[in-house]
Amino acid sequence: MKKFFKEFKEFISRGNVMDMAIGIIIGGAFTGIVSSLVEDVINPFLGLFGGMNFDRLSIRLAGEATLNYGKFITAVLNFLIMALIIFCIVKAMNTLSDKMKKEKDEEEETLTKVCPFCKTEIHIDAVRCPHCTSVLETEPEKTEKC
């Protein structure tokens, strides 16, 4: 039993489990925001153009029993609108992330140069290649004139 609790403790303390828990909590809060956007902002605009509320569509089966297919249509439309909004948000975040990564890569490129002898990438300030030990020519430093 002691071994079981030790394994459980190791499982819970892993970083990916904590990341997953945080993701679920943030996802739940984000779902509330997106649901409110769809129900309170987008659906009223769709009602202006369509002039129809699908929630009221139903078929009476027998007696009091009804088939509320309009609520299903509304749920499907809400899902598609939410999926579109989440897609747009994720696409914008990926574009921003790619742009930041590209800027970082360009910044890192300026910190290296290629050894003229062995063609290995080395630090820009290196005076000797760490791979082939060749002495590298240093560029004369620019001096400011007064």
Side-chain angles (χ1 to χ4, degrees), residues 30 86-100:
F30 187 70
I86 291 172
F87 172 75
C88 291
I89 290 171
V90 169
K91 186 170 176 65
M93 291 177 71
N94 286 343
T95 302
L96 181 64
S97 175
D98 290 344
K99 184 178 179 183
M100 290 176 67

Side-chain angles (χ1 to χ4, degrees), residues 30-45:
F30 187 70
T31 300
I33 293 170
V34 174
S35 296
S36 176
L37 176 67
V38 170
E39 293 171 10
D40 301 330
V41 177
I42 295 175
N43 281 349
F45 283 114

Side-chain angles (χ1 to χ4, degrees), residues 28-134:
F30 187 70
T31 300
I33 293 170
V34 174
S35 296
S36 176
L37 176 67
V38 170
E39 293 171 10
D40 301 330
V41 177
I42 295 175
N43 281 349
F45 283 114
L46 293 177
L48 288 174
F49 296 114
M52 185 171 190
N53 186 354
F54 291 114
D55 285 346
R56 297 187 188 120
L57 298 176
S58 63
I59 297 174
R60 186 171 299 273
L61 296 175
E64 297 289 321
T66 60
L67 178 66
N68 298 320
Y69 67 92
K71 290 185 178 185
F72 176 74
I73 293 171
T74 301
V76 170
L77 288 175
N78 285 348
F79 169 77
L80 292 174
I81 293 168
M82 282 185 184
L84 176 67
I85 291 170
I86 291 172
F87 172 75
C88 291
I89 290 171
V90 169
K91 186 170 176 65
M93 291 177 71
N94 286 343
T95 302
L96 181 64
S97 175
D98 290 344
K99 184 178 179 183
M100 290 176 67
K101 184 178 179 184
K102 184 178 178 182
E103 288 174 359
K104 184 179 178 184
D105 289 345
E106 288 174 358
E107 184 179 297
E108 287 178 359
E109 284 179 11
T110 61
L111 296 178
T112 61
K113 63 182 176 182
V114 177
C115 173
F117 302 103
C118 69
K119 306 298 184 205
T120 307
E121 192 171 293
I122 57 176
H123 193 273
I124 193 87
D125 294 332
V127 292
R128 185 178 287 269
C129 178
H131 302 284
C132 68
T133 68
S134 300

